[in-house]
Amino acid sequence: MRYHDEEWGVPVHDDRRLFEFLVLEGAQAGLSWSTILNKRDNYRSAFARFDPAKVARFGARDVKRLMADAGIVRNRLKIESAIGNARAFLEVRREFGSFDAYLWRFVDGRPLQNLRRNMKQVPARTPVSDAISKDLKLRGFRFVGSTIVYATMQAVGMVNDHLSACFRRRELWLPRTRSSAKLRSERK
């Protein structure tokens, strides 16, 4: 409940936080989000506070250490994908200046505003998440299927999928005419 009320859907422009959500959403595949939230602090510790430069340097010993860590999901493919994704993340950052600039360009730097009345109207994926997923895969990312990408978009506020009756919808509603640079300056 606290995650929904305080964090879910709030626009994120910090690269480390974006990497965190990418790793956590990938770890969540096939599991409940509450399972991952309950392990979030353990993930932060196990994955160097989600510093992509540090995670990119993880090797076989780190994979072995992580496979023995009961505080995270001990799935070798998910662990190895997080490490590989850190390396790909750094490449994207080199190319675009930041992962934030790369990711938010898919929505023109502004959150997409949806008007959903019930959970049945919330899709698992969209054409935008399909495009991001495809591009991430071309760049070497794994565990970034369209459903995982859409969940990431929701979590980091690229899309406002709070239901119309939810108090957070109005709080997070941002007109599409405002630029992300303006939003960042307003937050300071």
Side-chain angles (χ1 to χ4, degrees), residues 54-108:
K54 289 180 181 177
V55 175
R57 292 191 299 269
F58 282 12
R61 288 163 90 182
D62 296 293
V63 172
K64 186 176 180 179
R65 169 183 59 83
L66 293 167
M67 286 296 295
D69 187 339
I72 66 168
V73 175
R74 293 178 287 181
N75 176 303
R76 182 174 297 278
L77 292 176
K78 290 178 180 183
I79 290 168
E80 290 175 345
S81 76
I83 296 166
N85 287 353
R87 294 173 185 144
F89 187 96
L90 295 176
E91 286 300 316
V92 167
R93 196 158 69 180
R94 277 190 273 282
E95 182 178 344
F96 290 88
S98 69
F99 193 78
D100 172 65
Y102 161 78
L103 191 61
W104 280 83
R105 73 189 173 95
F106 286 95
V107 293
D108 296 326

Side-chain angles (χ1 to χ4, degrees), residues 6-185:
E6 298 174 9
E7 191 172 357
W8 189 73
V10 176
V12 173
H13 294 281
D14 175 76
D15 272 6
R16 189 181 291 213
R17 294 283 316 276
L18 291 170
F19 179 64
E20 176 178 355
F21 278 107
L22 201 59
V23 171
L24 294 177
E25 292 290 352
Q28 187 268 333
L31 303 170
S32 72
W33 184 240
S34 62
T35 297
I36 300 305
L37 277 181
N38 290 333
K39 295 178 178 283
R40 190 177 191 185
D41 286 337
N42 296 326
Y43 267 93
R44 285 179 174 153
S45 178
F47 284 91
R49 315 293 302 153
F50 292 107
D51 181 332
K54 289 180 181 177
V55 175
R57 292 191 299 269
F58 282 12
R61 288 163 90 182
D62 296 293
V63 172
K64 186 176 180 179
R65 169 183 59 83
L66 293 167
M67 286 296 295
D69 187 339
I72 66 168
V73 175
R74 293 178 287 181
N75 176 303
R76 182 174 297 278
L77 292 176
K78 290 178 180 183
I79 290 168
E80 290 175 345
S81 76
I83 296 166
N85 287 353
R87 294 173 185 144
F89 187 96
L90 295 176
E91 286 300 316
V92 167
R93 196 158 69 180
R94 277 190 273 282
E95 182 178 344
F96 290 88
S98 69
F99 193 78
D100 172 65
Y102 161 78
L103 191 61
W104 280 83
R105 73 189 173 95
F106 286 95
V107 293
D108 296 326
R110 298 176 302 271
L112 301 174
Q113 301 294 327
N114 293 320
L115 185 57
R116 318 265 193 220
R117 294 173 198 256
N118 59 60
M119 291 301 295
K120 290 179 183 176
Q121 293 179 326
V122 180
R125 59 191 282 185
T126 65
V128 175
S129 68
D130 291 346
I132 295 170
S133 172
K134 181 179 178 183
D135 196 68
L136 287 170
K137 288 176 183 177
L138 289 173
R139 295 172 182 280
F141 287 81
R142 296 184 322 190
F143 277 89
V144 289
S146 188
T147 300
I148 289 172
V149 168
Y150 194 68
T152 302
M153 291 173 65
Q154 291 172 313
V156 303
M158 291 176 68
V159 57
N160 184 354
D161 268 344
H162 286 277
L163 300 181
S164 58
C166 178
F167 76 97
R168 289 296 279 161
R169 176 172 172 42
R170 184 171 301 282
E171 291 177 358
L172 294 172
W173 185 81
L174 302 169
R176 293 271 309 152
T177 58
R178 295 161 71 186
S179 73
S180 59
K182 176 148 175 94
L183 293 173
R184 279 192 288 271
S185 69

